Amino acid sequence: MIEAASSLDSAGNERSSMYSKRHLFCYKALLCIVFSGLLLSSVGAQTSNLEITATGSQEATQSILTPIKVLQGDELLNKLGSTLGATLANELGVSATGYGTGSSRPVIRGLEGSRVQILQNGLSVGDVSNISQDHAVGNNMQNAHQVEILRGAAALLYGSGSSGGLVNVVNDRILTNLPDRPTGAINTSYETVNNGRAGSLEVDGAHGSVAVHVDTAINNANNYRIPGSSTQSQGEPVGAWTVPPAGNGGNNFTGKLPNSYSNQNNLGLGVSYIGENGYTGVSVERLNNNYGIPTPEGGSINQSQNRYDLQHQTRDPLDGFSSLKFSAANSNYNHTEFNNTGEATALWKNLANEARFELAHNPLLGWKGSFGAQVTTASLNASQIGTGSYAIVPPTKTLSNALFWIEEGKWNSLQGNLGLRYNNVAQNPNTSTPLVSQDTAAGTQTPSITLLNRNFNLLSYSAGGLWSFIQGHGIGIAYTVSQRAPSAQELYSYGAHESTATFDIGNPNLNKEISNNLELNLQKNIGLLRGKASIYANRFNNYIYGYYTGNSISNGGQDGNGFSVVTSQQAAATIKGVEGELTYNWHEQGLGGRVFGDASQGSFDAGGNLPLQPAPRLGAELAHQRNGWLTNAAYIYSYQQNRLASWEQGPAPSYNLLNAGVSYTERIQQVNWTVYLNMKNLLNEQIRYATTPMAVRLYAPQPGRSLMLGLRGTF
């Protein structure tokens, strides 16, 4: 039966006055640094538009006014991690989750999971990483050419409900231009902290009008070393889940952290026909990923995915229109979860299909834009394996039909953009599936939720403007309303989840979640000294979150015994934040520098803090590039996070992160060879992300000091 351990109020979390002062100081320091630099800097060349692709090709399709980050070239190679979250963890406004080195997703402005959609070449990645942080993103970063972060009107092109934003990983597997000769890249590296061995290869070629791309990658790493001991010392626990005390030889480790290994590989092939007026291409990919789950209970996940893509573009298809694009993807995803004895405990499957077309028109009365439609279907099934098997999430079919439209115009010193997206989302569970069997719960527990078919009509829209009040200087405003349907897991889950040590209970009566985001930004984009700053407020109606009830499962030592009960709930909530950066001669020859910072605060309107919120950060970077040499160093100070939800244990400690790198490139015959050394966490600090659930944050710090030596060749 479910035993009450404590009675908790989801809004009952005390605030520390000392932390409030530090938090306020961080806001003020960040604003002073950025705004003073913007206002005092010199004026130079003309303003330029920032463009995105989000199409899997190199061509730009839209420019937007809201902040966006594009990682590519040397910057991407220097920051590349084994996961998407690790790659983006130190970007402005972006933090990450961290289940060891095997699984990590980006957290954007305090939002994660379903509120941050992950795309591959403009289409959904098709995995289940948005359901739980221990589920890895279904892509391989070793072959990524570009990573884009989209917000505002641009995000409405690809999905509704992405109130945090979208992340698009571009690998150019389907070529859109004919290479005039065989080209490619090879990379190999070794990392000390986990005996990590990685290698990748890609080759592009053409025969007549047919272009071919082949890529493969492998990344194997053992358990990583940690500074100090694994278990963070804590005060009295708040909820039912308790941290093993220091000195408990079974759960407190020094040296290497158990179950922190990761082994992944992939193989991809793309073929495209390229003509005078466009291209048509197909691709196929196989991904395998086997990684450990570093929790006190231990365990691992074996993940695999087959993915098939189709892309087509016709340029100037009709009078008044510049391009017609069609893309589709099919992904067959599954992963098996194992306990610490190697016994399979759960099987997750997701079969996803997606198709979209987009028609872009020529400029009309100062406006240019595109409109289109998108259809997505997914069949999700998560079941427990073994005696007394049951459905953790019942087989659920999700159907999403969408229409979208985005426009941007420019008139002298004024720019504006508009975005609109309508979605109809249907969630249809198999109502005959038993959620919990009598054997599993020793005859004492019966399902407490009723499976209902749900249908949601979602209308999301965005409007923004930018005024260039001085040449190269602009001030902008953007307002976005984003509506999200509850996921199948939030509606229908009912079962034990080993990796988070929770018994998750969905709520089939959840309403749609509505985000109202208002943002002001200031930018300078000319001269040696450039910068941008943003301040925003994101108000949620019916914010969906997992609430730790203070109850625990007691079922005679069977599956889920002792796990905390977590239920899906809704409440009004608000996230407020500020972020900004100043750069000097950045990404150019010679010496360049960057200072930056971000801070956000999420709270329930009734009082208390949102769970899994990132801590404020300040940082600086230096880089020098000349004559084939590139050296760089980055320092980040993350404040202690005391603003925790009432059921979270804390604090999440502050940390100092120092990374550095040096590389040298020399062209030998037709190949540019680069030897590089990347150094991470040089201060050997214990780093625990506040964005990671307690089961991992309190037990498993991030890797300690590490050196990576590699050789890369491009031809």
Side-chain angles (χ1 to χ4, degrees):
M1 61 181 177
I2 301 179
E3 297 179 341
S6 62
S7 178
L8 299 179
D9 181 359
S10 64
N13 192 22
E14 295 184 359
R15 301 183 178 181
S16 165
S17 60
M18 180 176 295
Y19 178 76
S20 297
K21 294 178 181 178
R22 292 179 179 175
H23 201 71
L24 182 60
F25 172 77
C26 180
Y27 275 92
K28 290 181 177 179
L30 175 58
L31 285 172
C32 289
I33 290 174
V34 176
F35 280 95
S36 62
L38 291 175
L39 295 175
L40 295 176
S41 56
S42 59
V43 178
Q46 294 288 331
T47 182
S48 61
N49 290 337
L50 184 58
E51 297 184 328
I52 61 172
T53 62
T55 60
S57 69
Q58 296 179 352
E59 66 175 307
T61 58
Q62 295 289 336
S63 58
I64 62 173
L65 308 181
T66 49
I68 183 175
K69 174 66 179 181
V70 178
L71 270 180
Q72 58 186 348
D74 288 337
E75 185 180 16
L76 175 59
L77 294 172
N78 290 333
K79 296 179 178 179
L80 192 66
S82 60
T83 63
L84 180 60
T87 302
L88 299 178
N90 299 320
E91 294 304 315
L92 188 65
V94 184
S95 47
T97 64
Y99 266 75
T101 56
S103 176
S104 179
R105 274 179 60 102
V107 178
I108 302 179
R109 292 180 170 180
L111 298 170
E112 53 101 23
S114 298
R115 301 178 186 94
V116 176
Q117 187 176 349
I118 308 299
L119 308 177
Q120 180 170 301
N121 300 323
L123 295 174
S124 174
V125 73
D127 58 20
V128 295
S129 65
N130 63 327
I131 291 178
S132 181
Q133 291 190 12
D134 61 302
H135 301 164
V137 177
N139 66 4
N140 189 300
M141 295 302 299
Q142 301 301 310
N143 299 119
H145 290 180
Q146 184 168 296
V147 181
E148 307 164 338
I149 301 173
L150 293 75
R151 301 191 189 104
L156 298 183
L157 279 172
Y158 304 99
S160 66
S162 299
S163 50
L166 296 172
V167 177
N168 184 41
V169 180
V170 180
N171 55 34
D172 292 324
R173 189 166 284 140
I174 296 177
L175 296 177
T176 60
N177 294 289
L178 287 170
D180 54 6
R181 60 181 179 83
T183 61
I186 185 172
N187 186 36
T188 182
S189 65
Y190 174 79
E191 190 168 9
T192 60
V193 73
N194 54 10
N195 194 30
R197 294 87 61 202
S200 64
L201 172 68
E202 62 177 274
V203 177
D204 296 338
H207 180 73
S209 297
V210 177
V212 179
H213 170 99
V214 179
D215 67 77
T216 185
I218 186 170
N219 193 338
N220 295 332
N222 299 338
N223 294 332
Y224 60 74
R225 288 192 301 274
I226 58 173
S229 59
S230 61
T231 301
Q232 178 185 346
S233 60
Q234 295 289 309
E236 291 297 321
V238 177
W241 192 87
T242 58
V243 184
N248 184 337
N251 285 317
N252 196 37
F253 297 90
T254 58
K256 293 188 175 182
L257 182 67
N259 299 303
S260 60
Y261 64 88
S262 174
N263 300 294
Q264 55 180 283
N265 61 78
N266 82 303
L267 176 64
L269 171 66
V271 179
S272 53
Y273 174 82
I274 301 171
E276 293 183 359
N277 297 320
Y279 68 90
T280 300
V282 294
S283 69
V284 59
E285 178 188 27
R286 170 69 179 184
L287 171 69
N288 298 296
N289 192 5
N290 179 26
Y291 58 95
I293 303 297
T295 60
E297 291 78 15
S300 63
I301 289 180
N302 194 344
Q303 175 193 66
S304 65
Q305 178 171 283
N306 294 326
R307 180 182 174 99
Y308 305 90
D309 281 82
L310 166 67
Q311 291 181 11
H312 170 81
Q313 180 187 24
T314 299
R315 289 185 288 271
D316 301 319
L318 302 167
D319 289 341
F321 294 93
S322 58
S323 73
L324 170 66
K325 297 181 181 179
F326 175 80
S327 57
N330 165 270
S331 62
N332 190 341
Y333 170 96
N334 69 81
H335 81 242
T336 304
E337 300 183 1
F338 299 85
N339 61 21
N340 54 13
T341 64
E343 179 184 1
T345 59
L347 176 63
W348 291 72
K349 295 182 178 181
N350 191 51
L351 178 63
N353 295 283
E354 183 173 353
R356 61 177 281 126
F357 85 87
E358 181 181 342
L359 189 61
H361 68 78
N362 293 325
L364 179 65
L365 300 177
W367 293 91
K368 65 177 181 178
S370 61
F371 59 89
Q374 184 172 339
V375 178
T376 305
T377 63
S379 297
L380 173 68
N381 183 20
S383 57
Q384 188 253 7
I385 299 174
T387 304
S389 297
Y390 62 90
I392 301 172
V393 180
T396 303
K397 293 184 178 180
T398 301
L399 174 62
S400 172
N401 298 306
L403 299 173
F404 56 85
W405 174 41
I406 184 172
E407 294 286 338
E408 182 178 38
K410 183 175 182 180
W411 310 271
N412 297 321
S413 61
L414 294 177
Q415 289 179 261
N417 63 49
L418 300 170
L420 179 67
R421 185 180 182 93
Y422 169 76
N423 260 53
N424 177 264
V425 178
Q427 300 280 18
N428 300 311
N430 185 342
T431 56
S432 64
T433 302
L435 295 182
V436 176
S437 72
Q438 295 296 312
D439 291 338
T440 300
T444 61
Q445 192 162 0
T446 57
S448 65
I449 64 173
T450 302
L451 299 179
L452 303 172
N453 292 333
R454 299 295 308 276
N455 192 283
F456 301 90
N457 291 306
L458 311 173
L459 184 64
S460 301
Y461 51 91
S462 179
L466 176 70
W467 173 42
S468 298
F469 59 93
I470 303 177
Q471 188 181 42
H473 295 69
I475 184 170
I477 185 171
Y479 179 69
T480 302
V481 174
S482 179
Q483 298 189 355
R484 180 176 77 89
S487 66
Q489 184 267 346
E490 291 168 331
L491 290 168
Y492 309 122
S493 64
Y494 196 90
H497 200 170
E498 297 280 344
S499 300
T500 56
T502 58
F503 191 95
D504 300 334
I505 301 177
N507 182 352
N509 298 309
L510 291 174
N511 296 314
K512 62 184 177 183
E513 180 182 278
I514 303 176
S515 160
N516 300 270
N517 185 78
L518 178 64
E519 177 175 350
L520 299 174
N521 60 76
L522 182 65
Q523 56 184 268
K524 177 183 183 295
N525 51 24
I526 62 172
L528 293 177
L529 185 65
R530 305 186 181 195
K532 60 183 179 180
S534 299
I535 184 170
Y536 59 90
N538 202 348
R539 173 70 186 275
F540 288 86
N541 298 328
N542 298 320
Y543 181 90
I544 303 172
Y545 65 101
Y547 172 58
Y548 281 68
T549 65
N551 299 336
S552 60
I553 295 295
S554 176
N555 61 8
Q558 299 186 49
D559 187 50
N561 186 52
F563 285 4
S564 296
V565 176
V566 178
T567 62
S568 294
Q569 295 192 11
Q570 289 186 302
T574 301
I575 297 178
K576 301 176 182 178
V578 59
E579 61 190 34
E581 69 177 2
L582 280 174
T583 64
Y584 174 79
N585 197 40
W586 198 239
H587 297 318
E588 301 297 335
Q589 291 289 321
L591 181 65
R594 172 176 176 252
V595 294
F596 58 95
D598 51 48
S600 65
Q601 177 182 331
S603 60
F604 294 103
D605 290 3
N609 301 308
L610 294 183
L612 305 178
Q613 292 298 292
R617 302 178 302 180
L618 293 173
E621 287 187 74
L622 285 175
H624 186 268
Q625 182 172 285
R626 189 175 299 276
N627 298 328
W629 287 94
L630 174 62
T631 57
N632 61 84
Y635 168 77
I636 291 178
Y637 176 72
S638 178
Y639 285 74
Q640 180 173 282
Q641 180 58 290
N642 284 339
R643 295 184 179 274
L644 305 174
S646 60
W647 57 88
E648 291 183 293
Q649 299 179 44
S654 62
Y655 62 83
N656 298 275
L657 176 63
L658 179 61
N659 296 334
V662 58
S663 66
Y664 177 73
T665 301
E666 180 75 23
R667 185 171 183 84
I668 301 176
Q669 294 183 350
Q670 300 299 315
V671 181
N672 288 320
W673 291 103
T674 300
V675 58
Y676 59 92
L677 175 65
N678 290 334
M679 297 161 279
K680 303 177 182 178
N681 194 9
L682 283 171
L683 302 179
N684 204 33
E685 288 266 298
Q686 241 194 41
I687 297 174
R688 301 177 188 269
Y689 295 143
T691 50
T692 300
M694 293 182 295
V696 170
R697 173 171 61 84
L698 301 178
Y699 171 77
Q702 296 300 298
R705 182 185 297 115
S706 177
L707 305 179
M708 176 186 285
L709 181 64
L711 177 65
R712 180 170 58 246
T714 58
F715 57 91

